[in-house]
Amino acid sequence: MINKISVILILILSCIFANEFTFNELPIQEDGRIKPLDTYSRNQLLRFYGKKTIKSDDDQKVLAIDWMKNVFIDTENEISRKIFNIRNPEVAYSLGLDKNDSHKYSFLDIVNGFKENQSLLESLQSKADDQNTLVEEQIIEVYQNVILFDEISHSMFCFLPIIKVENKTLIDYLDISDDNTMVSYSFFMRNIDKFRVLLEDLLETNEQDWNESHVELSSIAMHLQSLTQYHYAQSLKIIPSFENKGNERWLSPWELMDGRPLNEQQKRMLIAYEKLTLGLVDNDVDLVNSQSKKIVSIIESHDDAFNSNLLIKETSFNELNIFLYSLIFYIISFLIIGINWMYTAPFTRKISFGIIIAGFLMHGYGLLLRMIIMQRPPVSTLYESILFVSFILVLFALIFEFIRKDTLGILIAAVGGSLLHFVGFKYAADGDTLGMLVAVLNSNFWLATHVTTITIGYGVSLVAGLMGHIYLLAAFFKPDDNKELKKIFDNMFGLTLMGLFFTMFGTILGGIWADQSWGRFWGWDPKENGALLIVLWHLMMLHLRVSGIVKPLGYAYFLSLVNIVVVLAWFGVNLLNVGLHSYGFTDNVATNLFIFIFIEIFFTTTMYCLVENKKNINQK
């Protein structure tokens, strides 16, 4: 444990003070965002393999960035590596793939499978998307992944030194170094003017009059012609166009290999990437990193808004995996507080409280890093909202623990924080969690006001709901401890007021934002209705209690159900896939959502009935 904590501290310090630019931080544009090559590698490996690391033939762990290096420079071997994870045996059977326990297949395995089943692919391509079965959709996904892998594996092929120039005349004319006469496709494209002169001379000379330089030039031309087959490999957008500052479209190396005129910066970028690729081939780390720094310096000289430090921080954030460690601390805190309940040792509460604060600080630091990297509040995607709501839940639970010192706050923080972390990991497994915003969300002011406020309301409401669960359990196991029950009820009532404040205030701010963006304050959109439903539920709880319609037990029962209301407003409305908020968080969560609702209703109703039944028995 001490060693793990030391590693965490070192990584945290590296996030704060890191300033060395390496190959891992090479910028690449994907889905409109500039990200480090390390993030891109992790996302692609996750997409193909299902994990962010793979195992080598000798059972050693291979990082995603090292796997990507091998894909660039050792394509022939990598296409034979079992990198594609096909869990569904029906998909493997449809492609004629042999069954294996690992469910992993190579590029060659799958390509041969598609070649032998071309009629299957043609039939799928002729169908509309909504007519495909689950197996057919997964087959299409496998096909798309294979195409993407093929593009990535040949994206840097134009930089590999695979063309040998031996004729002294050609070497001198093309200014090729005598030390290394192996050159790349990119070299000829950068020197297209000189090469065009040589080709014109070759075409104008009768074949019977060719000298040695003509013969070799003809061979080189045929080799170059064969390499044009890889022009399709344009998925790696690593070179800016150097035309407009800011939101410019980046280009892949092969896009610059079509004979177009190259500006000076593009030529410098191509030279740098060529040397970098040579360093990868020779395993020269210093050369690779020096060329990486040169590449980023070229981009920075063109675009003042480009910030290479954010790429370094993002790579460090990837290595840190801080939310996993915060989850571990939450779980350890829960286990220790369990020991406290069994043996009632005062020091165990302090230890548990200290550990959960450590996990909470890691949680907060992770959110802060995401804010710095993305330059916006961490509440714009479903994954981010899960992280932020769990942070708010733990925060308010710890505040109550600090005031009450009764271990209930630790319990709520540990359970709520852990559960939401697990949910968040599910969404993190889908790919890049630092994605670009849709246009309507791209407002730091409203993200920092409306979205933050409403998600704080979600978090406080969940704390209130969990406090209701605790009251039901306490009323069952300690029905005569009126002092303890009164304390829990007071907590519930206070949390209801706070939940009402944040959700109502956030809903009003959302209406103002909607008026500015869409020209109307309220439109009965599902997301708007969900937020309003939480407000109405809290208002109903307060009215039921103030009017005396429900007693504390009934209050706890109905307040426990606010968790269902929050989850429906948070996740459920997205299943409708309608309304102006449908740009937001969509995912196939229906099954898990209904399971959660069933468990909540079953647990709370069962506990309520058991407590009422025990009361009736005692009264008799």
Side-chain angles (χ1 to χ4, degrees), residues 165-354:
V165 182
E166 297 179 301
N167 184 267
K168 182 64 176 174
T169 302
L170 295 178
I171 291 174
D172 292 339
Y173 184 75
L174 294 172
D175 288 329
I176 299 174
S177 171
D178 291 330
D179 298 331
N180 189 1
T181 57
M182 297 294 292
V183 294
S184 66
Y185 186 96
S186 170
F187 173 84
F188 287 97
M189 291 302 103
R190 285 189 288 103
N191 295 276
I192 189 66
D193 292 335
K194 286 185 176 181
F195 188 59
R196 187 180 289 117
V197 172
L198 292 174
L199 288 178
E200 289 175 353
D201 177 62
L202 178 68
L203 294 174
E204 291 173 358
T205 305
N206 292 327
E207 188 171 348
Q208 59 267 27
D209 297 328
W210 282 3
N211 55 31
E212 290 183 1
S213 63
H214 287 124
V215 172
E216 183 169 324
L217 183 61
S218 174
S219 176
I220 291 172
M222 287 189 290
H223 195 170
L224 291 173
Q225 178 62 32
S226 69
L227 291 176
T228 59
Q229 65 179 302
Y230 300 117
H231 194 269
Y232 65 87
Q234 299 183 5
S235 63
L236 214 65
K237 308 294 184 181
I238 56 177
I239 303 176
S241 63
F242 294 107
E243 294 175 355
N244 302 305
K245 294 184 178 181
N247 298 322
E248 60 182 312
R249 175 182 172 272
W250 286 30
L251 306 171
S252 66
W254 281 105
E255 286 179 88
L256 298 177
M257 300 292 136
D258 58 0
R260 70 178 68 185
L262 302 176
N263 58 45
E264 190 59 34
Q265 289 127 318
Q266 288 172 340
K267 287 182 180 179
R268 291 171 61 198
M269 289 283 284
L270 291 176
I271 294 172
Y273 268 113
E274 199 168 299
K275 292 180 179 178
L276 182 148
T277 305
L278 184 62
L280 291 177
V281 173
D282 296 337
N283 198 24
D284 188 340
V285 177
D286 291 336
L287 176 60
V288 171
N289 289 338
S290 66
Q291 292 305 311
S292 299
K293 292 176 185 176
K294 186 171 184 179
I295 288 168
V296 79
S297 67
I298 296 171
I299 300 174
E300 286 179 328
S301 65
H302 162 70
D303 188 355
D304 297 335
F306 178 81
N307 189 345
S308 61
N309 287 327
L310 295 182
L311 300 175
I312 297 174
K313 289 185 184 299
E314 185 171 339
T315 302
S316 300
F317 175 77
N318 293 337
E319 296 172 355
L320 189 55
N321 204 6
I322 195 166
F323 296 119
L324 174 61
Y325 288 109
S326 69
L327 169 64
I328 292 172
F329 275 66
Y330 288 160
I331 294 174
I332 293 173
S333 176
F334 174 76
L335 295 175
I336 294 177
I337 206 63
I339 295 173
N340 174 269
W341 294 331
M342 288 188 290
Y343 298 104
T344 321
F347 70 91
T348 54
R349 177 197 165 273
K350 293 181 180 179
I351 294 174
S352 179
F353 191 58

Side-chain angles (χ1 to χ4, degrees), residues 502-570:
F502 283 110
T503 51
M504 183 168 63
F505 188 51
T507 302
I508 293 171
L509 288 173
I512 298 172
W513 188 6
D515 186 49
Q516 290 189 3
S517 297
W518 299 320
R520 88 307 183 263
F521 181 84
W522 192 265
W524 300 108
D525 185 273
K527 202 75 178 176
E528 296 168 349
N529 294 339
L532 179 62
L533 189 59
I534 302 175
V535 174
L536 294 176
W537 193 271
H538 284 308
L539 286 172
M540 180 188 74
M541 295 307 308
L542 294 175
H543 280 81
L544 287 175
R545 181 56 190 149
V546 171
S547 63
I549 296 175
V550 296
K551 303 300 181 185
L553 181 64
Y555 188 88
Y557 171 69
F558 286 110
L559 186 61
S560 297
L561 298 179
V562 78
N563 288 349
I564 296 176
V565 180
V566 171
V567 169
L568 285 174
W570 193 5

Side-chain angles (χ1 to χ4, degrees), residues 304-433:
D304 297 335
F306 178 81
N307 189 345
S308 61
N309 287 327
L310 295 182
L311 300 175
I312 297 174
K313 289 185 184 299
E314 185 171 339
T315 302
S316 300
F317 175 77
N318 293 337
E319 296 172 355
L320 189 55
N321 204 6
I322 195 166
F323 296 119
L324 174 61
Y325 288 109
S326 69
L327 169 64
I328 292 172
F329 275 66
Y330 288 160
I331 294 174
I332 293 173
S333 176
F334 174 76
L335 295 175
I336 294 177
I337 206 63
I339 295 173
N340 174 269
W341 294 331
M342 288 188 290
Y343 298 104
T344 321
F347 70 91
T348 54
R349 177 197 165 273
K350 293 181 180 179
I351 294 174
S352 179
F353 191 58
I355 290 175
I356 203 164
I357 286 178
F360 173 72
L361 292 176
M362 291 181 187
H363 193 159
Y365 179 67
L367 289 175
L368 178 63
L369 272 180
R370 291 180 65 88
M371 290 175 64
I372 294 172
I373 293 168
M374 296 304 298
Q375 301 288 288
R376 57 172 170 76
V379 288
S380 56
T381 66
L382 182 54
Y383 173 72
E384 289 180 342
S385 72
I386 292 169
L387 291 177
F388 188 73
V389 168
S390 63
F391 177 80
I392 295 300
L393 186 153
V394 175
L395 172 63
F396 277 87
L398 291 180
I399 290 173
F400 270 86
E401 178 62 28
F402 182 77
I403 297 172
R404 301 284 185 175
K405 296 180 174 60
D406 54 7
T407 71
L408 294 181
I410 296 176
L411 173 63
I412 292 174
V415 172
S418 298
L419 288 176
L420 287 175
H421 263 347
F422 276 116
V423 175
F425 289 149
K426 186 268 180 190
Y427 287 96
D430 291 340
D432 191 3
T433 65

